[in-house]
Amino acid sequence: MTFALGQRWISDTESDLGLGTVVAMDARTVTLMFAASEENRVYARNDAPVTRVTFNVGDQIESQQGWFLAVEQVVEDNGLFTYIGTREDSEEQGVALREIMLSHQIRFNKPQDKLFAGQIDRMDNFVLRYRALTNQYQQHKSPMRGLCGMRAGLIPHQLYIAHEVGRRHAPRVLLADEVGLGKTIEAGMIIHQQVLSGRAERILIVVPETLQHQWLVEMLRRFNLHFSIFDEERCVESVAEGENPFDTQQYVLCSLDFIRKSRQRFEQALEGEWDLLVVDEAHHLEWSQDNSSREYQIIEGLANNTPGVLLLTATPEQLGRESHFARLRLLDPDRFYDYQAFVEEEAQYEPVADAVAALFSGEQLQNDAKNKITELLSEQDVEPLYRILNSDADEEEKAAARQELIDNLMDRHGTGRVLFRNTRAAIQGFPKRHVNLLPMDIPSQYATSMRVANMIGGKMSVEARAVKNLYPEEIFQEFEGDEASWWQFDPRVNWLLEKITEKRSEKILVIASRASTALQLEQALREREGIRATVFHEGMSILERDKAAAYFAQEEGGAQVLICSEIGSEGRNFQFASQLVMFDLPVNPDLLEQRIGRLDRIGQLRDIDIFVPYLRGTSQEILARWFNEGLNAFAETCPTGRTVFDQYGSAVIEMLASGDTSELDEVIDSSAKLNKSLKAQLEQGRDRLLEMHSNGGDKAHDIVERIAATDGDTNLVTFALSLFDTIGLNQDDKGDNAIVVTPSEHMMVPSYPGLPYEGATITFDRDTALSREDMNFISWEHPMIQGGIDLLMSEGVGTSAVSLLKNKALPVGTLLLELVFVVDAQAPKSSGISRFLPPTPIRLMLDQKGNDLSEQVEFEGFNRQLSPVNRHLASKLVTSVQPQIHHLIEAGEQLIKAKVDAVREQAQRDMHSRLNSELERLQALKAVNPNIRDEEITALDEQMNTLNSYIERAQYQLDSLRVIVVSHN
């Protein structure tokens, strides 16, 4: 291909990008800028999927200024064209238009050209293309977009928060649900919506190092979002000197420790121009009015540079009100500028919460409560509602008035827009935990090796010795060698074997701290009793873990036991199991809670049995007792565990290292008292108004019902299987709602979007996908469907077809022409255009006289009456009626204009109605709730103006057509 700067080319694979301009070249590559869609593409010079744009004498072309030229002469100079002709608006002759000044919006690839050239598609491909267009349109317009396709149960409070936050411009919120309520899933749903709507293209997730893998797996498995973990090694390898490694990926995941340790990496992350920053475990960022930690300063720097920020934290006040204020300050430093002012403001909301509680329960409002509500809401807003509540109106009317009052109070509530918090107490529906502590005698082999190890201990830190003492099997192996089979005499293993054989019908999850312990336990189960077990640890790839999890999930013929290492278990939920064995214990109470959280999550249908076998007189007993008696951490969630650990952890670690238990009872007693008082403070600090707002009430259940109604969509199943067929994928039905899809040798393209080289197992059933993490949950939002539709469109599949209509009521040879136009506004995805004017298909069905019958003749019903025609015969038919087809296409071009105008007007109405009501609501709230940021209002205003001009400039093109000829046999 011969390229020159300034030439105009169009992408063969992405025709919606508009007209591209060659802006840079080197020996190997060429760069095209597509100004209409604000995109750049770099292609290899020798096989770029682009076509040179050339016009001929007689063509009509548009300039960037919007005027048209009738081409009368084409001049070429140094590889660039200049078109000379008559300008249509002024009738000036001899006007020259250089190709670089051509309109960026010019479109090509006409289906009628393919039809007349004999490139006629199969009828079922035409049908598939039309269904792809209509389904894609419906998905873009759906208010539930971004929420239907994730692999997660439909849990009301999670969906409510995600729906509320995910649609905002640059959301800045604190997600503060209690443990086990699914903050990571809420964040993922928000990210997914922001990505699909184009609001966020560059995302940075910052988490503690131990949670990196959990986030990677959750984003990939649940939302099909491919994040890259960044560490020092990757940064050094991935870029040349002087380049910013953070510019090499759109979705980046890294640990806070990684950017804290290196000023260079922090500065590079700061320059990353992110759209959305997500920070997990934000309660560990220390701040006070006099001082703030380095970690806090790093997140503050990133938050100040990034429009959207999601902070995930444990229950906000658990580290004190000052700490809670510090999180809010990261989200909006202008609003939360002074700690004292914040404390005073918070104090005002308690009576409001009481008033809302009274409204919820349907009680009569007291005068004090009414006055408090009137202070927050204007008198004209509340007086009509009070009158209804005090009148003889029917119950339905009173309920509506109560709800309106509650909604208005929620909107104006102090931190209601920036903070969402759900508690187990408010949500309910959690299983009970049955705790079984199992003390066992220490075997003599362990006692001997531990005594010797302590005698020759060497220089080891207290922390290292404390941890080492928890794993006597490792100490034994150090002396006896790696082949030493400690599992032959360890009483915990003997007990586990008995337990498994006794509970043959139960799935059992075993968690051990180390991968090596997990592997040896699997060997013990297999060799001693022939038990089917599988292992799950950090040394395995994601694919290997999926296979292990699937083997465990399998009801018949699957593994009875899954043995996980500490890190290997992160990010996985095994809610189909209810038996948890802790073969050993972690020192950190947060890790303990994470372990139990593998089973104890919302959606678990059975009570959970927790078994903790430990060896008497060892560090294991000290830790088990402290967790159980000091924190009650086995039986209940422990939001206060970390704070108690910060206070007494060093004393506990000292005891674990030395084995001296003389102060154990005292430490347990003090820990229990502190734990109780912290929990009481939490309960007292509970903001019921906020909890009511966060769980979404009826609105949340409405969202669940709307999404549930889309599950099991047979239309999707039919479409997906036809799509895979057309592209050339092999499909093998495995039963149990599972299909294996693999690439074939006869595929239309070398590789299929979202499908690994070795293929994938897919399911359309949400429940199956939740219990089988090795399967892809296919929805309209899945990359295999989205990518497949994009492939159909870009490859021009189904743009022209010929069919026969067997109908004796019509004369033989009667001609009908089905035309499918698409209205499309070329605009950046981030503008939000897809909410109001996504690519919109308009179908015309023309009879021989050019009348449009599409209102009377519905597509699917009519299609069932048609028969396909082979390409040879189809080509002959088209040639014989070519003049009539030309005439009907011209008639269609006249008819479509009014329909396109109607589509534009409807899009303008939708946009103004939706965004104006959002704008008015925000402006009204701004007067009473300082949490409304000026940027939100400005962004909405600007968005309306830019969308106006994009919708006005929306164009249409003929996407596909079908010639239908009547026959009698």
Side-chain angles (χ1 to χ4, degrees), residues 246-370:
F246 288 95
D247 290 341
T248 61
Q249 294 292 333
Q250 295 292 88
Y251 304 157
V252 173
L253 174 59
C254 69
S255 76
L256 179 54
D257 220 30
F258 159 62
I259 41 180
R260 180 185 63 80
K261 281 177 181 169
S262 161
R263 176 164 287 281
Q264 182 194 11
R265 297 301 174 221
F266 169 54
E267 284 168 1
Q268 287 170 332
L270 266 185
E271 289 162 14
E273 294 186 1
W274 310 102
D275 300 312
L276 185 62
L277 167 70
V278 183
V279 183
D280 196 5
E281 301 280 315
H283 48 282
H284 295 322
L285 304 171
E286 290 172 16
W287 176 90
S288 70
Q289 294 176 78
D290 311 316
N291 192 18
S292 57
S293 66
R294 174 78 183 135
E295 289 85 349
Y296 188 93
Q297 290 165 13
I298 283 167
I299 298 303
E300 186 174 24
L302 289 167
N304 289 342
N305 267 21
T306 310
V309 179
L310 301 181
L311 301 180
L312 282 69
T313 175
T315 307
E317 287 91 349
Q318 80 174 58
L319 297 176
R321 190 164 275 181
E322 191 174 56
S323 166
H324 176 36
F325 172 76
R327 304 313 132 238
L328 297 172
R329 193 178 157 275
L330 288 173
L331 297 172
D332 192 347
D334 296 335
R335 158 81 176 88
F336 299 103
Y337 62 92
D338 179 76
Y339 176 61
Q340 215 39 57
F342 168 71
V343 171
E344 286 162 19
E345 186 188 329
E346 285 279 281
Q348 295 170 20
Y349 287 107
E350 215 163 297
V352 181
D354 292 337
V356 171
L359 283 168
F360 260 114
S361 58
E363 293 169 21
Q364 192 76 27
L365 282 178
Q366 300 301 313
N367 285 336
D368 283 357
K370 283 184 183 175

Side-chain angles (χ1 to χ4, degrees), residues 955-968:
Q955 296 179 315
Y956 68 89
Q957 66 180 27
L958 179 59
D959 175 84
S960 45
L961 52 77
R962 172 161 62 176
V963 175
I964 297 150
V965 180
V966 173
S967 78
H968 285 177

Side-chain angles (χ1 to χ4, degrees), residues 662-676:
S662 57
E663 293 177 12
L664 178 59
D665 289 338
E666 191 184 325
V667 169
I668 285 175
D669 193 43
S670 303
S671 299
K673 281 180 183 154
L674 177 58
N675 192 41
K676 192 176 175 184

Side-chain angles (χ1 to χ4, degrees), residues 694-958:
S694 297
N695 71 39
D698 291 342
K699 284 184 194 167
H701 290 283
D702 179 50
I703 293 168
V704 169
E705 281 167 24
R706 292 174 74 171
I707 295 173
T710 68
D711 279 0
D713 180 0
T714 51
N715 180 18
L716 168 63
V717 180
T718 312
F719 176 79
L721 300 183
S722 303
L723 174 66
F724 299 159
D725 246 353
T726 301
I727 305 292
L729 301 179
N730 295 324
Q731 300 163 52
D732 183 10
D733 191 340
K734 291 290 184 191
D736 293 332
N737 298 320
I739 297 170
V740 175
V741 180
T742 48
S744 74
E745 293 168 10
H746 315 291
M747 280 168 62
M748 183 189 291
V749 284
S751 64
Y752 185 85
L755 182 67
Y757 174 73
E758 69 278 1
T761 306
I762 65 169
T763 182
F764 296 93
D765 180 70
R766 187 181 297 275
D767 290 338
T768 304
L770 286 173
S771 64
R772 293 284 303 274
E773 293 198 344
D774 58 318
M775 291 187 189
N776 283 273
F777 175 46
I778 299 295
S779 70
W780 287 111
E781 293 168 1
H782 194 279
M784 281 175 71
I785 300 296
Q786 293 287 316
I789 289 176
D790 291 345
L791 201 56
L792 274 188
M793 298 301 148
S794 61
E795 294 288 321
V797 174
T799 53
S800 64
V802 176
S803 299
L804 289 180
L805 171 63
K806 291 173 184 169
N807 187 327
K808 293 190 175 167
L810 294 169
V812 172
T814 300
L815 178 71
L816 299 168
L817 186 65
E818 195 167 16
L819 300 170
V820 179
F821 291 87
V822 173
V823 185
D824 189 8
Q826 281 187 347
K829 200 177 170 189
S830 56
S831 66
I833 190 74
S834 65
R835 279 173 78 190
F836 310 107
L837 186 56
T840 305
I842 302 176
R843 173 178 164 264
L844 301 181
M845 168 61 75
L846 304 182
D847 66 11
Q848 280 179 304
K849 294 178 183 170
N851 299 313
D852 178 22
L853 312 175
S854 57
E855 295 287 326
Q856 296 93 324
V857 182
E858 179 266 336
F859 179 82
E860 293 294 348
F862 182 61
N863 185 61
R864 284 193 286 274
Q865 300 172 41
L866 302 180
S867 311
V869 180
N870 71 54
R871 184 180 279 195
H872 179 66
L873 178 57
S875 199
K876 278 188 169 178
L877 279 171
V878 168
T879 306
S880 68
V881 291
Q882 189 163 338
Q884 291 153 274
I885 295 173
H886 273 299
H887 169 69
L888 287 177
I889 289 173
E890 282 173 24
E893 289 279 354
Q894 295 310 309
L895 288 168
I896 195 68
K897 286 172 184 166
K899 289 183 180 273
V900 171
D901 287 343
V903 165
R904 284 197 198 107
E905 283 163 23
Q906 186 59 48
Q908 295 277 24
R909 274 199 301 276
D910 283 357
M911 186 267 292
H912 281 289
S913 128
R914 194 148 353 145
L915 296 188
N916 258 329
S917 63
E918 275 182 46
L919 189 62
E920 283 165 14
R921 174 171 168 267
L922 287 182
Q923 284 167 336
L925 287 180
K926 179 85 178 141
V928 289
N929 186 347
N931 274 319
I932 310 303
R933 304 191 330 271
D934 287 332
E935 305 95 274
E936 276 190 90
I937 293 175
T938 312
L940 258 181
D941 224 358
E942 286 171 2
Q943 188 186 13
M944 284 167 71
N945 292 333
T946 52
L947 283 172
N948 247 335
S949 64
Y950 287 134
I951 293 169
E952 275 169 18
R953 296 207 307 270
Q955 296 179 315
Y956 68 89
Q957 66 180 27
L958 179 59

Side-chain angles (χ1 to χ4, degrees), residues 179 253 268 414 421 445 462 480 483 500 519 605 613 710 766 775 864 894 937:
V179 174
L253 174 59
Q268 287 170 332
R421 179 175 87 210
Q445 294 94 320
V462 173
E480 301 296 329
E483 298 308 307
I500 294 166
L519 287 162
L605 301 175
T710 68
R766 187 181 297 275
M775 291 187 189
R864 284 193 286 274
Q894 295 310 309
I937 293 175

